[in-house]
């Protein structure tokens, strides 16, 4: 049975200043079982934490850590509002399974490619919006414009990649890498377009304690850049590894014969790679990022100097 340290709200269960600590933490957030948790589970978890705050000794450390994990898996870190299940990290892999099935089973006509890429990028847009930095307000028209731009551009990029693969015959190392390049570019484009307003109007920067200091476009740009980079990292094991793994399995005769045997093998391998890739990619950068005061906009920098702020950095939530 897993042993838990004494419960605290001052730090996480794992050391998130290290990469592997962040990976372990994100594995908890990616736990697919948390997709089905609703208001009742959230309220029960909050009640346990509140009981601990009052000094009551009603729950074990394991129960308290699990309660905190439930809350952090369900809530947006800035608004503290419950994220729609489809936008949670715990839904990312389950949501991608039917998308993968559709892409594998649908005949590769232009219509089917566009349809499934649109579904894929629509889900990505929902995920990106749900996990954005919320200090920048967006109205319904902003969201609609961002969604349309994100899906059109990312689908176009993915289509271009597919056509290039078909033109090359899909063989060889380069042929295996083109889908990764197309998906990586499409994913990054989706992030940029869904969160473009953060770069245009800026996001809130804080001190180490989380007290707001002002709004910075440079922080917004860095937040979006880092998140887009995770979308380049994410498909690397998902799209680069499966072709080589499946080729290896075929060589040792571990792939069932027939169309369905091949499809099931691809689905299992891709899902396993995606399950491992998600926490690895998201953990590439810390959630709370520093930004040197010297790199801030002149007016904000002057404002901080005037107020006597003496930290070399300000901090911001980059989103997921």
């Amino acid at each position: 049975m897993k042993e838990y340290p004494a419960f605290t709200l001052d730090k996480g269960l794992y050391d998130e200043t290290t990469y592997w600590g962040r990976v372990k933490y994100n594995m908890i957030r990616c736990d697919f079982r948390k997709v089905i948790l609703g208001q009742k589970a959230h309220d029960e978890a909050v009640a346990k934490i509140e009981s601990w705050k009052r000094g009551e000794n009603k729950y074990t450390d394991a129960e308290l850590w699990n309660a905190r994990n439930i809350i952090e898996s369900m809530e947006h870190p800035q608004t503290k509002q419950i994220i729609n299940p489809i936008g949670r990290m715990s839904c990312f892999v389950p949501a991608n399974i039917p998308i993968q099935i559709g892409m594998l089973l649908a005949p590769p006509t232009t219509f089917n490619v566009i349809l499934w890429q649109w579904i894929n990028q629509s889900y990505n847009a929902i995920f990106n919006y749900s996990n954005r930095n919320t200090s920048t307000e967006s109205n319904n028209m902003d969201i609609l414009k961002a969604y349309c731009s994100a899906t059109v551009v990312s689908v176009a990029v993915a289509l271009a990649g597919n056509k290039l693969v078909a033109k090359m015959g899909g063989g060889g190392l380069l042929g295996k890498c083109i889908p990764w390049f197309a998906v990586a570019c499409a994913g990054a484009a989706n992030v940029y377009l869904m969160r473009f307003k953060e770069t245009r109007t800026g996001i809130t920067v804080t001190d180490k304690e989380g007290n707001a200091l002002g709004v910075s476009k440079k922080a917004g740009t860095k937040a979006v850049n880092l998140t887009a980079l995770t979308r380049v990292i994410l498909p690397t094991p998902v799209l680069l590894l499966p072709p080589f793994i499946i080729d290896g399995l075929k060589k040792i005769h571990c792939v069932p014969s027939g169309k369905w045997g091949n499809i099931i093998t691809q689905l299992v391998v891709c899902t396993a790679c995606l399950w491992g890739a998600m926490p690895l990619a998201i953990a590439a950068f810390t959630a709370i990022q520093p930004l040197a005061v010297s790199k801030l906009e002149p007016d904000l920098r002057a404002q901080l100097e005037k107020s006597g702020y003496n930290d070399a950095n300000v901090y911001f939530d980059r989103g997921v």
Side-chain angles (χ1 to χ4, degrees), residues 150-214:
T151 51
V152 169
V153 171
S154 48
V155 167
V157 170
L159 271 175
N162 286 345
K163 287 190 176 181
L164 188 55
V165 170
K167 189 175 182 180
M168 296 181 61
L173 179 62
L174 187 59
K176 289 180 171 66
C177 291
I178 288 173
W180 165 80
F181 179 76
V183 171
C185 289
N190 197 307
V191 171
Y192 275 114
L193 292 165
M194 284 304 297
R195 295 178 56 180
F196 173 71
K197 198 168 183 181
E198 294 175 37
T199 68
R200 188 176 61 185
T201 62
I203 60 175
T204 299
V205 293
T206 69
D207 59 19
K208 281 186 177 179
E209 285 69 45
N211 300 307
L213 299 172

Side-chain angles (χ1 to χ4, degrees), residues 58-72:
K58 295 169 62 176
Y59 303 101
T60 65
D61 289 319
E63 289 175 314
L64 291 168
W65 279 114
N66 286 332
R68 179 177 168 181
N69 289 336
I70 286 172
I71 294 168
E72 292 180 354

